Amino acid sequence: MTLSPPISQAGLIRIELLVAVLISAILIIGLVQIVQASRSSFRLQENQAEVQENGRYALTTLARVIRQTAFNPQPWNPVFEAQGITPETQDRVTSRSDRLAVRFWSNTNCFDNRNPVVDEFGEAAFFIRESRFDLNDRRDLTHTCRYGPSEADLVTQVKREGFIRNVESFQVLYAQDSNADGHVDQWVKGGDWSNEQLIIGIRVGLLLNSSDAVVERASQTFSVLDSTYKTPADGKLRLQLAFTAAIKGRSG
């Protein structure tokens, strides 16, 4: 015959069980909070890395193209007509984007492969290479590239391909050397120069955002070169960048 524990002892056991359950619940809640905090921290770091890498890649790509603008392998040779910033360059093609379009002579095509056509010396021939940048409706910074032996024979090799995601603003200004003394006299908008060949440098401004909402949801206002942009309160991380690159063929 089994004897039941005294009533007072049974009550004590129940209290101990309740305390144990309560302690377990507190520990589980704490563990869940730690996991959530770790996940939030990881997402923040992941999005920071994404935005910074996008910014770095955009700057590298744009700076390389700008420096090559107007390059002429033989300025004395009339076969190589002067190239530079094309008329497709435009200020505010949309409320968020300017358009930058430039040309230069190159012996590599839009994929950086050497031209299979050779010159009289057996070297890769120089053709015109044209690059155009602007934002599309998905807020991708796009690149269009054409390549060919003359302006009339340019072939599109890269057709408005988005290569940087989550760009909210793309703005461009142009350094005009009005008296051709090698110094910048004023910064002008696309197409506002008195003579395109007096442009010796280009300044680019970018505003990028993260894919995920990882920060406080608050609206911000950014001045991207000559444009002001107010962001939605979407909790996305933002990075503002600006850089200036000289057109090497004109600035020495």
Side-chain angles (χ1 to χ4, degrees), residues 32-46:
V32 169
Q33 290 177 337
I34 291 172
V35 171
Q36 289 178 337
S38 296
R39 289 183 61 186
S40 297
S41 177
F42 175 76
R43 288 179 64 225
L44 175 60
Q45 293 175 0
E46 188 176 49

Side-chain angles (χ1 to χ4, degrees), residues 64-75 80-86 101-106 126-131 196-202 246-252:
R64 179 169 61 88
V65 170
I66 291 170
R67 293 188 183 104
Q68 291 175 307
T69 297
F71 173 75
N72 190 333
Q74 298 176 12
F80 296 102
E81 297 180 5
Q83 303 297 322
I85 303 169
T86 80
V102 299
R103 287 178 182 165
F104 51 91
W105 290 94
S106 175
F126 280 86
F127 282 4
I128 297 173
R129 181 166 162 178
E130 177 187 271
S131 285
E196 181 276 326
Q197 294 190 23
L198 295 177
I199 300 301
I200 61 173
I202 297 175
I247 297 176
K248 293 180 67 175
R250 295 177 179 173
S251 59

Side-chain angles (χ1 to χ4, degrees), residues 165-176:
R165 297 177 55 207
N166 301 324
V167 181
E168 291 189 87
S169 184
F170 172 63
Q171 306 296 323
V172 188
L173 291 174
Y174 303 83
Q176 181 168 270

